[in-house]
Amino acid sequence: MLQQTQVATVIDYYNRWMQKWPTLQALAAASLEEVNELWAGLGYYSRGKRLQEAARKVVSELAGRMPRTAEDLQRLLPGVGRYTAGAIASISFGQATGVVDGNVIRVLCRLRCIGADTSSLAVIDCLWNMANTLVDRSRPGDFNQALMELGATVCTPKSPLCGECPVKEHCHAWRRVEKELASASQKLFGKTTLVPDVEDYGTGDCLLCLPAAELWDSSLGVTNFPRKAAKKQPRVERTATCVLERRGHLGVPEYLIVQRPSSGLLAGLWEFPSFPLAPGLQEEQQKEVLADHLQAWTRQPVQTQSLCFVGEVVHIFSHIHQTYVVYSLCLDGDLVLDAASSPSRWVTEEEFRASAVSTAMKKVLKAREAQRGAQSSRGKVGSTAACAGLPCALLEHKDLGLHWELPSLEQGDMPGRLSPWFP
């Protein structure tokens, strides 16, 4: 859980997870749906899936016994990489093996003035060799946790606490800063400049030194290290999403959700019916695309006029800048869906929030509920009309940054005005 997620966020999830599945056997017996439901909101959902796959393999193929070395953990268990294997082997089983995560990378790069791109194979191999050399043979788990904690609390990305660092006397980056301060002080008083250290001058041929085009920046101090390659910009995607609604028991709104494929982004999670949009489509074209998809999927006519625009919801994944163009559509009765389509079910709001849905879909529902609240308070129209997407005035919701259209009906005019909009 702590891969790519902060401790403060993980704690509640971890406690609930261990309460529900205290043993490997209990986790192995769970369904993927249960795992996804508990994991919902943590992101990087493949982690939960692989964790359960690993538990099932340990129970069914390894007689319930966890591999005890980093090599076997990485070789035998799905989803266990070099870092996770090293952490488990050293902390749980006392194997004298190092770990390299983001915090450790920062500490080691500053200790040895490694300025090359930390994503390069040469640098990664060097860092792992250093970690394996440095690890305390008698207390490898404690040493590795201390090294990670040092990076998280003292040797931080910005404003590191060098004065409090227990290993500063061994840190080449800190030593370089001290030399520069001493040199500046001597210049101020007209004294002879100190003889430069040969280690202060990397060459363009060194695979570990600062690149020739990105030499030491005195204003950065120890934060010259590590240097990272320019971050790749996430690709931009737009998706049409439709919140399909009906009135359930006692008039409580129910929503149709469908299950995503078992592989790829957000694998196995539930969502409102969603379809990718080609770049450059105007609003009316977007509605036509969505209506066509819904019509093919529901096997009943869907007119673009019946789609009520909710707004745009933006969600940033690690590699995707996703914009959901959200519409709502109110239905009377149930749907007979295409048998070849994805699994689907109707859920109440409470059931929706308890389901394995992504944070992005929770944002979509929040936008739809905000629109319904505005329609109820400002429009003073019936619930059916509020969903019908009739011509109306423009409303805004400043908190969510949304805009939508609100039906405007004359009293007594509802039946005649509604009939053209529903097939």
Side-chain angles (χ1 to χ4, degrees):
M1 289 182 178
L2 288 171
Q3 294 173 1
Q4 307 294 327
T5 307
Q6 294 181 343
V7 174
T9 302
V10 163
I11 290 174
D12 180 56
Y13 283 90
Y14 174 79
N15 288 334
R16 287 189 286 117
W17 180 284
M18 294 308 299
Q19 184 177 10
K20 191 175 182 69
W21 301 302
T23 65
L24 283 170
Q25 289 73 15
L27 177 58
S31 68
L32 180 59
E33 179 72 11
E34 290 176 298
V35 170
N36 282 337
E37 285 178 1
L38 197 150
W39 201 277
L42 264 182
Y44 297 93
Y45 293 88
S46 61
R47 295 178 297 174
K49 179 181 179 182
R50 288 173 179 168
L51 187 55
Q52 190 204 30
E53 289 174 351
R56 287 182 171 177
K57 184 167 185 179
V58 170
V59 170
S60 63
E61 300 179 25
L62 303 177
R65 182 177 171 82
M66 280 282 290
R68 302 180 74 84
T69 67
E71 295 75 20
D72 285 346
L73 284 161
Q74 193 172 351
R75 179 173 58 88
L76 295 174
L77 300 187
V80 174
R82 197 173 182 180
Y83 161 71
T84 303
I88 295 173
S90 63
I91 297 170
S92 298
F93 303 123
Q95 183 185 2
T97 184
V99 297
V100 174
D101 72 345
N103 290 315
V104 173
I105 287 174
R106 186 164 54 257
V107 171
L108 296 183
C109 283
R110 289 173 181 172
L111 278 172
R112 303 302 300 174
C113 281
I114 296 174
D117 178 9
T118 55
S119 65
S120 73
L121 183 60
V123 173
I124 291 296
D125 285 343
C126 175
L127 293 172
W128 272 101
N129 289 336
M130 289 175 61
N132 287 326
T133 300
L134 290 171
V135 67
D136 188 302
R137 263 52 193 167
S138 62
R139 299 172 62 189
D142 289 344
F143 179 88
N144 286 334
Q145 291 182 78
L147 192 59
M148 290 186 280
E149 191 71 4
L150 179 66
T153 61
V154 177
C155 194
T156 54
K158 298 178 181 179
S159 304
L161 306 175
C162 294
E164 302 176 18
C165 181
V167 297
K168 65 182 178 183
E169 299 299 334
H170 304 283
C171 179
H172 286 220
W174 182 77
R175 195 179 301 169
R176 182 161 182 173
V177 171
E178 291 295 295
K179 286 179 182 178
E180 286 207 348
L181 290 174
S183 177
S185 177
Q186 291 211 357
K187 286 181 179 179
L188 182 64
F189 292 101
K191 296 182 180 180
T192 305
T193 305
L194 295 173
V195 176
D197 193 317
V198 68
E199 289 188 357
D200 293 342
Y201 292 89
T203 68
D205 296 330
C206 178
L207 297 177
L208 302 179
C209 291
L210 287 168
E214 302 176 31
L215 295 179
W216 174 272
D217 182 345
S218 298
S219 66
L220 295 178
V222 299
T223 61
N224 274 281
F225 309 99
R227 295 285 178 91
K228 294 183 179 180
K231 190 174 181 180
K232 186 178 180 181
Q233 291 298 311
R235 69 176 185 267
V236 176
E237 293 186 0
R238 291 177 66 82
T239 297
T241 298
C242 187
V243 181
L244 284 166
E245 306 176 35
R246 72 177 184 185
R247 290 292 168 184
H249 183 59
L250 298 178
V252 175
E254 292 183 341
Y255 306 99
L256 186 71
I257 55 175
V258 298
Q259 192 170 32
R260 290 182 60 85
S262 58
S263 61
L265 182 68
L266 305 177
L269 298 191
W270 294 82
E271 66 180 5
F272 297 114
S274 300
F275 310 96
L277 291 171
L281 293 181
Q282 300 300 313
E283 182 178 344
E284 197 57 36
Q285 294 172 310
Q286 293 175 358
K287 293 175 73 172
E288 289 173 0
V289 169
L290 181 58
D292 288 344
H293 278 290
L294 290 172
Q295 185 165 307
W297 189 58
T298 62
R299 294 182 173 181
Q300 69 180 48
V302 176
Q303 299 182 21
T304 58
Q305 300 96 322
S306 63
L307 293 170
C308 182
F309 180 64
V310 174
E312 294 189 350
V313 172
V314 175
H315 189 78
I316 309 297
F317 297 95
S318 59
H319 58 295
I320 300 173
H321 185 286
Q322 178 68 264
T323 299
Y324 295 94
V325 184
V326 185
Y327 294 87
S328 64
L329 175 63
C330 284
L331 301 172
D332 292 325
D334 208 341
L335 284 176
V336 179
L337 301 176
D338 185 351
S341 63
S342 302
S344 62
R345 68 177 192 259
W346 289 96
V347 294
T348 63
E349 178 189 346
E350 182 178 358
E351 292 168 336
F352 175 88
R353 298 192 184 284
S355 299
V357 295
S358 67
T359 301
M361 287 298 112
K362 291 177 181 177
K363 289 181 181 179
V364 168
L365 180 59
K366 185 177 181 180
R368 171 57 188 144
E369 290 176 335
Q371 181 197 44
R372 184 188 291 111
Q375 289 172 333
S376 175
S377 61
R378 301 187 192 186
K380 298 181 180 179
V381 297
S383 59
T384 303
C387 292
L390 302 177
C392 62
L394 187 69
L395 288 181
E396 295 182 356
H397 190 290
K398 294 181 180 178
D399 291 339
L400 290 176
L402 302 172
H403 69 278
W404 52 73
E405 291 183 351
L406 174 67
S408 177
L409 302 177
E410 297 293 336
Q411 187 173 5
D413 193 28
M414 190 170 301
R417 292 286 298 279
L418 284 178
S419 57
W421 303 94
F422 288 94

PDB file of all heavy atoms in Angstrom, residues 336-362:
ATOM      1  N   VAL A 336     -33.107  -3.637 -20.517  1.00  0.00           N
ATOM      2  CA  VAL A 336     -32.636  -4.942 -20.973  1.00  0.00           C
ATOM      3  C   VAL A 336     -31.369  -4.678 -21.769  1.00  0.00           C
ATOM      4  O   VAL A 336     -31.407  -4.207 -22.904  1.00  0.00           O
ATOM      5  CB  VAL A 336     -33.697  -5.654 -21.834  1.00  0.00           C
ATOM      6  CG1 VAL A 336     -33.159  -6.992 -22.310  1.00  0.00           C
ATOM      7  CG2 VAL A 336     -34.983  -5.843 -21.044  1.00  0.00           C
ATOM      8  N   LEU A 337     -30.216  -4.967 -21.155  1.00  0.00           N
ATOM      9  CA  LEU A 337     -28.940  -4.602 -21.761  1.00  0.00           C
ATOM     10  C   LEU A 337     -28.451  -5.692 -22.705  1.00  0.00           C
ATOM     11  O   LEU A 337     -28.839  -6.859 -22.603  1.00  0.00           O
ATOM     12  CB  LEU A 337     -27.905  -4.352 -20.673  1.00  0.00           C
ATOM     13  CG  LEU A 337     -28.256  -3.252 -19.667  1.00  0.00           C
ATOM     14  CD1 LEU A 337     -27.188  -3.171 -18.594  1.00  0.00           C
ATOM     15  CD2 LEU A 337     -28.406  -1.916 -20.369  1.00  0.00           C
ATOM     16  N   ASP A 338     -27.595  -5.287 -23.617  1.00  0.00           N
ATOM     17  CA  ASP A 338     -26.968  -6.215 -24.548  1.00  0.00           C
ATOM     18  C   ASP A 338     -26.244  -7.291 -23.748  1.00  0.00           C
ATOM     19  O   ASP A 338     -25.412  -7.011 -22.876  1.00  0.00           O
ATOM     20  CB  ASP A 338     -25.980  -5.441 -25.424  1.00  0.00           C
ATOM     21  CG  ASP A 338     -25.358  -6.317 -26.505  1.00  0.00           C
ATOM     22  OD1 ASP A 338     -25.555  -7.548 -26.465  1.00  0.00           O
ATOM     23  OD2 ASP A 338     -24.670  -5.762 -27.377  1.00  0.00           O
ATOM     24  N   ALA A 339     -26.550  -8.551 -24.041  1.00  0.00           N
ATOM     25  CA  ALA A 339     -25.959  -9.660 -23.288  1.00  0.00           C
ATOM     26  C   ALA A 339     -24.443  -9.701 -23.420  1.00  0.00           C
ATOM     27  O   ALA A 339     -23.744 -10.233 -22.554  1.00  0.00           O
ATOM     28  CB  ALA A 339     -26.558 -10.989 -23.765  1.00  0.00           C
ATOM     29  N   ALA A 340     -23.933  -9.152 -24.521  1.00  0.00           N
ATOM     30  CA  ALA A 340     -22.483  -9.176 -24.746  1.00  0.00           C
ATOM     31  C   ALA A 340     -21.774  -8.012 -24.065  1.00  0.00           C
ATOM     32  O   ALA A 340     -20.553  -7.923 -24.099  1.00  0.00           O
ATOM     33  CB  ALA A 340     -22.195  -9.137 -26.252  1.00  0.00           C
ATOM     34  N   SER A 341     -22.550  -7.106 -23.458  1.00  0.00           N
ATOM     35  CA  SER A 341     -21.944  -5.939 -22.828  1.00  0.00           C
ATOM     36  C   SER A 341     -21.357  -6.305 -21.467  1.00  0.00           C
ATOM     37  O   SER A 341     -21.502  -7.417 -20.981  1.00  0.00           O
ATOM     38  CB  SER A 341     -22.969  -4.820 -22.678  1.00  0.00           C
ATOM     39  OG  SER A 341     -24.010  -5.227 -21.815  1.00  0.00           O
ATOM     40  N   SER A 342     -20.711  -5.334 -20.829  1.00  0.00           N
ATOM     41  CA  SER A 342     -20.060  -5.564 -19.548  1.00  0.00           C
ATOM     42  C   SER A 342     -21.096  -5.836 -18.454  1.00  0.00           C
ATOM     43  O   SER A 342     -22.251  -5.418 -18.569  1.00  0.00           O
ATOM     44  CB  SER A 342     -19.228  -4.339 -19.165  1.00  0.00           C
ATOM     45  OG  SER A 342     -18.274  -4.051 -20.155  1.00  0.00           O
ATOM     46  N   PRO A 343     -20.700  -6.510 -17.376  1.00  0.00           N
ATOM     47  CA  PRO A 343     -21.611  -6.694 -16.233  1.00  0.00           C
ATOM     48  C   PRO A 343     -22.091  -5.344 -15.718  1.00  0.00           C
ATOM     49  O   PRO A 343     -21.345  -4.369 -15.718  1.00  0.00           O
ATOM     50  CB  PRO A 343     -20.733  -7.402 -15.200  1.00  0.00           C
ATOM     51  CG  PRO A 343     -19.660  -8.081 -15.993  1.00  0.00           C
ATOM     52  CD  PRO A 343     -19.410  -7.185 -17.170  1.00  0.00           C
ATOM     53  N   SER A 344     -23.341  -5.287 -15.276  1.00  0.00           N
ATOM     54  CA  SER A 344     -23.911  -4.015 -14.813  1.00  0.00           C
ATOM     55  C   SER A 344     -24.887  -4.276 -13.688  1.00  0.00           C
ATOM     56  O   SER A 344     -25.369  -5.391 -13.497  1.00  0.00           O
ATOM     57  CB  SER A 344     -24.616  -3.294 -15.966  1.00  0.00           C
ATOM     58  OG  SER A 344     -25.694  -4.087 -16.450  1.00  0.00           O
ATOM     59  N   ARG A 345     -25.177  -3.211 -12.915  1.00  0.00           N
ATOM     60  CA  ARG A 345     -26.175  -3.327 -11.863  1.00  0.00           C
ATOM     61  C   ARG A 345     -26.639  -1.936 -11.451  1.00  0.00           C
ATOM     62  O   ARG A 345     -25.937  -0.945 -11.649  1.00  0.00           O
ATOM     63  CB  ARG A 345     -25.626  -4.087 -10.658  1.00  0.00           C
ATOM     64  CG  ARG A 345     -24.526  -3.380  -9.875  1.00  0.00           C
ATOM     65  CD  ARG A 345     -24.130  -4.227  -8.656  1.00  0.00           C
ATOM     66  NE  ARG A 345     -23.306  -3.517  -7.704  1.00  0.00           N
ATOM     67  CZ  ARG A 345     -21.996  -3.636  -7.595  1.00  0.00           C
ATOM     68  NH1 ARG A 345     -21.347  -4.438  -8.425  1.00  0.00           N
ATOM     69  NH2 ARG A 345     -21.330  -2.964  -6.667  1.00  0.00           N
ATOM     70  N   TRP A 346     -27.868  -1.885 -10.885  1.00  0.00           N
ATOM     71  CA  TRP A 346     -28.408  -0.643 -10.350  1.00  0.00           C
ATOM     72  C   TRP A 346     -28.031  -0.543  -8.879  1.00  0.00           C
ATOM     73  O   TRP A 346     -28.139  -1.518  -8.128  1.00  0.00           O
ATOM     74  CB  TRP A 346     -29.929  -0.609 -10.488  1.00  0.00           C
ATOM     75  CG  TRP A 346     -30.413  -0.447 -11.897  1.00  0.00           C
ATOM     76  CD1 TRP A 346     -30.799  -1.429 -12.744  1.00  0.00           C
ATOM     77  CD2 TRP A 346     -30.552   0.791 -12.608  1.00  0.00           C
ATOM     78  NE1 TRP A 346     -31.175  -0.900 -13.955  1.00  0.00           N
ATOM     79  CE2 TRP A 346     -31.037   0.460 -13.904  1.00  0.00           C
ATOM     80  CE3 TRP A 346     -30.314   2.122 -12.299  1.00  0.00           C
ATOM     81  CZ2 TRP A 346     -31.283   1.419 -14.871  1.00  0.00           C
ATOM     82  CZ3 TRP A 346     -30.560   3.088 -13.252  1.00  0.00           C
ATOM     83  CH2 TRP A 346     -31.040   2.744 -14.525  1.00  0.00           C
ATOM     84  N   VAL A 347     -27.609   0.637  -8.445  1.00  0.00           N
ATOM     85  CA  VAL A 347     -27.200   0.825  -7.054  1.00  0.00           C
ATOM     86  C   VAL A 347     -27.737   2.153  -6.530  1.00  0.00           C
ATOM     87  O   VAL A 347     -27.921   3.109  -7.277  1.00  0.00           O
ATOM     88  CB  VAL A 347     -25.657   0.822  -6.895  1.00  0.00           C
ATOM     89  CG1 VAL A 347     -25.081  -0.547  -7.226  1.00  0.00           C
ATOM     90  CG2 VAL A 347     -25.011   1.911  -7.757  1.00  0.00           C
ATOM     91  N   THR A 348     -27.991   2.195  -5.229  1.00  0.00           N
ATOM     92  CA  THR A 348     -28.310   3.461  -4.571  1.00  0.00           C
ATOM     93  C   THR A 348     -27.009   4.230  -4.348  1.00  0.00           C
ATOM     94  O   THR A 348     -25.909   3.702  -4.560  1.00  0.00           O
ATOM     95  CB  THR A 348     -28.989   3.220  -3.221  1.00  0.00           C
ATOM     96  OG1 THR A 348     -28.063   2.523  -2.365  1.00  0.00           O
ATOM     97  CG2 THR A 348     -30.256   2.383  -3.388  1.00  0.00           C
ATOM     98  N   GLU A 349     -27.133   5.458  -3.864  1.00  0.00           N
ATOM     99  CA  GLU A 349     -25.924   6.245  -3.576  1.00  0.00           C
ATOM    100  C   GLU A 349     -25.058   5.546  -2.534  1.00  0.00           C
ATOM    101  O   GLU A 349     -23.829   5.479  -2.659  1.00  0.00           O
ATOM    102  CB  GLU A 349     -26.307   7.640  -3.076  1.00  0.00           C
ATOM    103  CG  GLU A 349     -25.092   8.492  -2.720  1.00  0.00           C
ATOM    104  CD  GLU A 349     -25.466   9.782  -2.024  1.00  0.00           C
ATOM    105  OE1 GLU A 349     -26.650  10.152  -2.040  1.00  0.00           O
ATOM    106  OE2 GLU A 349     -24.554  10.406  -1.454  1.00  0.00           O
ATOM    107  N   GLU A 350     -25.699   5.010  -1.509  1.00  0.00           N
ATOM    108  CA  GLU A 350     -24.945   4.324  -0.452  1.00  0.00           C
ATOM    109  C   GLU A 350     -24.231   3.097  -1.014  1.00  0.00           C
ATOM    110  O   GLU A 350     -23.063   2.840  -0.695  1.00  0.00           O
ATOM    111  CB  GLU A 350     -25.898   3.914   0.673  1.00  0.00           C
ATOM    112  CG  GLU A 350     -25.205   3.241   1.845  1.00  0.00           C
ATOM    113  CD  GLU A 350     -26.170   2.879   2.967  1.00  0.00           C
ATOM    114  OE1 GLU A 350     -27.374   3.192   2.833  1.00  0.00           O
ATOM    115  OE2 GLU A 350     -25.721   2.283   3.962  1.00  0.00           O
ATOM    116  N   GLU A 351     -24.931   2.343  -1.845  1.00  0.00           N
ATOM    117  CA  GLU A 351     -24.320   1.153  -2.455  1.00  0.00           C
ATOM    118  C   GLU A 351     -23.213   1.537  -3.416  1.00  0.00           C
ATOM    119  O   GLU A 351     -22.192   0.849  -3.517  1.00  0.00           O
ATOM    120  CB  GLU A 351     -25.396   0.331  -3.181  1.00  0.00           C
ATOM    121  CG  GLU A 351     -26.396  -0.320  -2.240  1.00  0.00           C
ATOM    122  CD  GLU A 351     -27.605  -0.880  -2.971  1.00  0.00           C
ATOM    123  OE1 GLU A 351     -27.912  -0.402  -4.095  1.00  0.00           O
ATOM    124  OE2 GLU A 351     -28.256  -1.788  -2.426  1.00  0.00           O
ATOM    125  N   PHE A 352     -23.392   2.645  -4.114  1.00  0.00           N
ATOM    126  CA  PHE A 352     -22.359   3.132  -5.029  1.00  0.00           C
ATOM    127  C   PHE A 352     -21.071   3.422  -4.266  1.00  0.00           C
ATOM    128  O   PHE A 352     -19.984   3.006  -4.674  1.00  0.00           O
ATOM    129  CB  PHE A 352     -22.855   4.393  -5.738  1.00  0.00           C
ATOM    130  CG  PHE A 352     -21.825   5.055  -6.614  1.00  0.00           C
ATOM    131  CD1 PHE A 352     -21.680   4.678  -7.939  1.00  0.00           C
ATOM    132  CD2 PHE A 352     -20.999   6.058  -6.109  1.00  0.00           C
ATOM    133  CE1 PHE A 352     -20.732   5.281  -8.754  1.00  0.00           C
ATOM    134  CE2 PHE A 352     -20.048   6.672  -6.908  1.00  0.00           C
ATOM    135  CZ  PHE A 352     -19.919   6.281  -8.234  1.00  0.00           C
ATOM    136  N   ARG A 353     -21.166   4.124  -3.157  1.00  0.00           N
ATOM    137  CA  ARG A 353     -19.971   4.506  -2.399  1.00  0.00           C
ATOM    138  C   ARG A 353     -19.296   3.303  -1.753  1.00  0.00           C
ATOM    139  O   ARG A 353     -18.095   3.344  -1.464  1.00  0.00           O
ATOM    140  CB  ARG A 353     -20.331   5.560  -1.351  1.00  0.00           C
ATOM    141  CG  ARG A 353     -20.873   6.839  -1.978  1.00  0.00           C
ATOM    142  CD  ARG A 353     -20.954   7.984  -1.010  1.00  0.00           C
ATOM    143  NE  ARG A 353     -21.564   9.158  -1.624  1.00  0.00           N
ATOM    144  CZ  ARG A 353     -20.956   9.972  -2.480  1.00  0.00           C
ATOM    145  NH1 ARG A 353     -19.696   9.742  -2.798  1.00  0.00           N
ATOM    146  NH2 ARG A 353     -21.591  11.011  -3.004  1.00  0.00           N
ATOM    147  N   ALA A 354     -20.054   2.233  -1.526  1.00  0.00           N
ATOM    148  CA  ALA A 354     -19.466   1.020  -0.946  1.00  0.00           C
ATOM    149  C   ALA A 354     -18.904   0.092  -2.009  1.00  0.00           C
ATOM    150  O   ALA A 354     -18.225  -0.886  -1.687  1.00  0.00           O
ATOM    151  CB  ALA A 354     -20.521   0.280  -0.121  1.00  0.00           C
ATOM    152  N   SER A 355     -19.161   0.402  -3.274  1.00  0.00           N
ATOM    153  CA  SER A 355     -18.701  -0.451  -4.371  1.00  0.00           C
ATOM    154  C   SER A 355     -17.258  -0.118  -4.742  1.00  0.00           C
ATOM    155  O   SER A 355     -16.694   0.888  -4.298  1.00  0.00           O
ATOM    156  CB  SER A 355     -19.601  -0.265  -5.601  1.00  0.00           C
ATOM    157  OG  SER A 355     -20.932  -0.626  -5.324  1.00  0.00           O
ATOM    158  N   ALA A 356     -16.668  -0.963  -5.567  1.00  0.00           N
ATOM    159  CA  ALA A 356     -15.293  -0.750  -6.040  1.00  0.00           C
ATOM    160  C   ALA A 356     -15.315   0.256  -7.183  1.00  0.00           C
ATOM    161  O   ALA A 356     -15.282  -0.094  -8.366  1.00  0.00           O
ATOM    162  CB  ALA A 356     -14.673  -2.057  -6.495  1.00  0.00           C
ATOM    163  N   VAL A 357     -15.413   1.534  -6.823  1.00  0.00           N
ATOM    164  CA  VAL A 357     -15.436   2.609  -7.816  1.00  0.00           C
ATOM    165  C   VAL A 357     -14.236   3.515  -7.580  1.00  0.00           C
ATOM    166  O   VAL A 357     -13.754   3.653  -6.457  1.00  0.00           O
ATOM    167  CB  VAL A 357     -16.746   3.426  -7.757  1.00  0.00           C
ATOM    168  CG1 VAL A 357     -17.931   2.559  -8.136  1.00  0.00           C
ATOM    169  CG2 VAL A 357     -16.949   4.032  -6.376  1.00  0.00           C
ATOM    170  N   SER A 358     -13.765   4.133  -8.640  1.00  0.00           N
ATOM    171  CA  SER A 358     -12.594   4.992  -8.543  1.00  0.00           C
ATOM    172  C   SER A 358     -12.967   6.351  -7.958  1.00  0.00           C
ATOM    173  O   SER A 358     -14.143   6.741  -7.917  1.00  0.00           O
ATOM    174  CB  SER A 358     -11.975   5.187  -9.929  1.00  0.00           C
ATOM    175  OG  SER A 358     -12.848   5.933 -10.756  1.00  0.00           O
ATOM    176  N   THR A 359     -11.951   7.084  -7.528  1.00  0.00           N
ATOM    177  CA  THR A 359     -12.157   8.441  -7.024  1.00  0.00           C
ATOM    178  C   THR A 359     -12.768   9.325  -8.110  1.00  0.00           C
ATOM    179  O   THR A 359     -13.594  10.202  -7.823  1.00  0.00           O
ATOM    180  CB  THR A 359     -10.819   9.034  -6.559  1.00  0.00           C
ATOM    181  OG1 THR A 359     -10.284   8.199  -5.525  1.00  0.00           O
ATOM    182  CG2 THR A 359     -10.994  10.450  -6.020  1.00  0.00           C
ATOM    183  N   ALA A 360     -12.358   9.091  -9.366  1.00  0.00           N
ATOM    184  CA  ALA A 360     -12.895   9.885 -10.471  1.00  0.00           C
ATOM    185  C   ALA A 360     -14.407   9.730 -10.580  1.00  0.00           C
ATOM    186  O   ALA A 360     -15.138  10.711 -10.789  1.00  0.00           O
ATOM    187  CB  ALA A 360     -12.218   9.469 -11.782  1.00  0.00           C
ATOM    188  N   MET A 361     -14.918   8.500 -10.436  1.00  0.00           N
ATOM    189  CA  MET A 361     -16.359   8.280 -10.531  1.00  0.00           C
ATOM    190  C   MET A 361     -17.094   8.901  -9.343  1.00  0.00           C
ATOM    191  O   MET A 361     -18.233   9.353  -9.477  1.00  0.00           O
ATOM    192  CB  MET A 361     -16.658   6.787 -10.623  1.00  0.00           C
ATOM    193  CG  MET A 361     -16.300   6.179 -11.964  1.00  0.00           C
ATOM    194  SD  MET A 361     -17.240   6.899 -13.364  1.00  0.00           S
ATOM    195  CE  MET A 361     -15.940   7.774 -14.241  1.00  0.00           C
ATOM    196  N   LYS A 362     -16.443   8.941  -8.187  1.00  0.00           N
ATOM    197  CA  LYS A 362     -17.063   9.617  -7.039  1.00  0.00           C
ATOM    198  C   LYS A 362     -17.192  11.110  -7.316  1.00  0.00           C
ATOM    199  O   LYS A 362     -18.167  11.748  -6.907  1.00  0.00           O
ATOM    200  CB  LYS A 362     -16.238   9.358  -5.784  1.00  0.00           C
ATOM    201  CG  LYS A 362     -16.297   7.914  -5.310  1.00  0.00           C
ATOM    202  CD  LYS A 362     -15.406   7.679  -4.088  1.00  0.00           C
ATOM    203  CE  LYS A 362     -15.464   6.218  -3.648  1.00  0.00           C
ATOM    204  NZ  LYS A 362     -14.570   5.928  -2.504  1.00  0.00           N
TER     205      LYS A 362
END
